[in-house]
């Protein structure tokens, strides 16, 4: 339980309350902690490249409509 932060700068990214089990080997979240937690840019249809909102450290992707509930995204 707690807050997940950027490994490079310590910026708060995700709450453990938004974490859920997924087949991916990486942690999966339904939402960011705050609106400025991450920055996003389209990489390909259905997937956004996600970086730390403070330092730009690469965090992976947001997969649109791939969350645990219909219409949710997966980070």
């Amino acid at each position: 339980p707690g807050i997940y932060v950027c490994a490079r700068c310590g910026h708060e990214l995700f709450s453990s309350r938004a974490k859920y089990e997924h087949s991916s080997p990486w942690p999966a979240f339904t939402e960011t902690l705050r609106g400025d937690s991450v920055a996003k840019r389209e990489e390909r249809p259905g997937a956004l490249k996600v970086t730390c909102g403070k330092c730009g450290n690469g965090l992976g992707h947001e997969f649109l409509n791939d969350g645990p509930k219909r219409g949710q995204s997966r980070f």
Side-chain angles (χ1 to χ4, degrees):
I3 304 296
Y4 288 77
V5 300
C6 175
R8 182 183 290 167
C9 73
H11 187 61
E12 295 182 339
L13 305 169
F14 304 99
S15 168
S16 61
R17 288 178 280 163
K19 187 177 178 185
Y20 69 99
E21 291 298 321
H22 187 266
S23 60
S24 167
W26 297 279
F29 302 91
T30 55
E31 61 187 6
T32 60
L33 190 62
R34 295 187 307 267
D36 69 347
S37 292
V38 302
K40 308 173 196 178
R41 67 174 172 77
E42 186 172 12
E43 186 171 77
R44 57 182 155 75
L48 306 176
K49 184 71 174 171
V50 178
T51 58
C52 173
K54 184 175 181 183
C55 74
N57 187 34
L59 301 173
H61 294 86
E62 176 182 2
F63 297 99
L64 307 176
N65 299 308
D66 191 39
K69 296 179 184 170
R70 185 179 177 104
Q72 280 186 323
S73 289
R74 171 175 57 92
F75 288 87

